[in-house]
Amino acid sequence: MSDILREEIAGEGVLELSIHRPESLNALNIQVLEELRKKLEFIAKEESVRVLILRGAGEKAFVAGADILEMQKMNRSEAARFSRLGHEVCLLLEQMPKVTIAAVHGFALGGGTELALACDFILASEKAQFGLPEVSLGVIPGFGGTIRLSRNLGVARAKELIFSGDRIKADEANQLGLIRKVLSHDGFFDQVRAFATKISGNSLDAIVAGKRLLNEFEESAGIYPKVDAESHRFSSLFETVDQKEGMAAFSEKRSPRFRGMRGSA
Ligand code: HXC
């Protein structure tokens, strides 16, 4: 395993796992997701861990999304595989018999917001920013964002965020119910660790019984068919001129000129 994931004991029964690609604002590429999947499978069975804190390395970002430069080279079937890999990671976070906390101190965009949404709680610093900017790249969320956002906020607010691609600050995200709490930026991670350690002192058996039950209520609405539908819609966009233009524009550091008009993807 490379050092792209770094871990630290952050309290009694608390593990802090960092995604460490600060040079690209911790963007999620295939390697990061595969290593995350392996690590989460391990943590799910690791008795010494009761609470997992997930964070990004560096000053600026939790995760600035899926790696656009890697996605730019994908064809439709590769994009579908990529989306399914992200779904596996998110479902592991959502279903593991542990408490999972996303600690967001900076940008959580696209796949970054989606990854955070799969955790039990999102704690954010005042400097955190959230958003689903995929439409500005000619695609849509593909790691479960369409599903978890509409589940948590309702369809109208999910549409507003997904269609606008707007970035919102922590306070607004808190008002919308996207996140659990806004904490001061100074000493942010210490506060997260204290919160995690407090939860870790409770009965994990009882917490997991509660988590399973709440997940079962959610599951009655059937998340599995929905993630497949999302992967299908996401990857179908990789056959459009707009996806090629949107991702080329990002890599060339210019604004995109979208031409797709038919809405046929
Ligand atoms: C690859 C990325 C990246 C990303 C940032 N970088 N985000 N590389 N994929 N998602 C890289 C930049 O290219 C740059 O590299 C370096 O990180 C620093 O970023 P800057 O843009 O110079 O920083 P700044 O001006 O502060 O702007 C920060 C930012 C911006 C607002 C977060 O980087 C940005 O808009 N990033 C893209 C956000 C986004 O669209 N995310 C959604 C992706 S789609 P260099 O080499 O130039 O220093 C997605 C789909 C999920 O997530 C579902 C998939 C199935």
Side-chain angles (χ1 to χ4, degrees):
M1 201 167 273
S2 71
D3 67 351
I4 230 164
L5 295 181
R6 299 187 181 181
E7 59 185 67
E8 195 179 321
I9 306 295
E12 180 66 37
V14 179
L15 186 77
E16 188 172 290
L17 187 64
S18 303
I19 297 168
H20 198 275
R21 284 190 82 206
E23 68 291 349
S24 49
L25 306 187
N26 306 318
L28 301 171
N29 59 15
I30 294 171
Q31 186 194 358
V32 175
L33 289 174
E34 282 179 344
E35 292 198 16
L36 253 180
R37 179 176 58 184
K38 218 181 285 172
K39 179 56 78 181
L40 294 174
E41 281 167 352
F42 174 81
I43 293 169
K45 298 194 189 104
E46 174 56 49
E47 281 185 17
S48 65
V49 180
R50 295 197 289 274
V51 180
L52 172 70
I53 298 170
L54 187 62
R55 60 171 287 185
E59 289 299 309
K60 282 174 75 172
F62 172 71
V63 164
D67 189 319
I68 300 165
L69 305 180
E70 192 175 73
M71 279 192 297
Q72 196 187 354
K73 299 183 199 115
M74 291 179 187
N75 60 30
R76 179 177 183 159
S77 60
E78 289 164 337
R81 270 205 298 282
F82 184 58
S83 165
R84 283 197 292 267
L85 175 59
H87 282 144
E88 283 170 26
V89 167
C90 289
L91 287 167
L92 273 163
L93 281 166
E94 194 163 67
Q95 293 173 354
M96 69 162 61
K98 311 285 177 191
V99 178
T100 54
I101 300 173
V104 178
H105 68 296
F107 293 114
L109 300 177
T113 286
E114 298 185 82
L115 190 68
L117 277 168
C119 292
D120 295 322
F121 306 108
I122 304 177
L123 300 182
S125 99
E126 303 146 318
K127 293 198 179 164
Q129 290 193 39
F130 297 84
L132 281 309
E134 283 90 343
V135 290
S136 66
L137 298 161
V139 294
I140 54 171
F143 292 156
T146 59
I147 303 151
R148 294 188 180 91
L149 204 65
S150 57
R151 181 188 72 188
N152 293 9
L153 307 189
V155 173
R157 286 179 171 149
K159 280 184 177 170
E160 190 181 337
L161 283 176
I162 293 170
F163 296 178
S164 70
D166 282 349
R167 292 209 295 263
I168 57 170
K169 296 196 170 136
D171 276 340
E172 189 177 348
N174 197 24
Q175 277 159 20
L176 286 173
L178 179 72
I179 66 177
R180 174 68 194 84
K181 211 179 230 177
V182 186
L183 302 169
S184 58
H185 192 71
D186 287 341
F188 172 65
F189 287 106
D190 290 339
Q191 297 173 75
V192 173
R193 288 168 179 196
F195 177 80
T197 305
K198 185 167 159 249
I199 291 185
S200 171
N202 294 330
S203 160
L204 187 62
D205 283 346
I207 287 174
V208 170
K211 181 164 172 169
R212 292 217 163 102
L213 197 60
L214 292 164
N215 281 351
E216 279 163 21
F217 294 155
E218 293 293 341
E219 192 42 45
S220 57
I223 198 168
Y224 297 110
K226 289 184 189 158
V227 296
D228 282 347
E230 189 188 68
S231 291
H232 173 72
R233 291 280 175 197
F234 171 81
S235 58
S236 71
L237 290 163
F238 282 68
E239 291 181 341
T240 65
V241 286
D242 278 358
Q243 176 268 332
K244 290 174 188 30
E245 166 61 9
M247 295 194 183
F250 177 82
S251 69
E252 292 158 20
K253 299 186 187 291
R254 61 172 174 81
S255 299
R257 285 182 300 274
F258 290 125
R259 293 185 289 121
M261 298 280 285
R262 292 178 300 144
S264 56

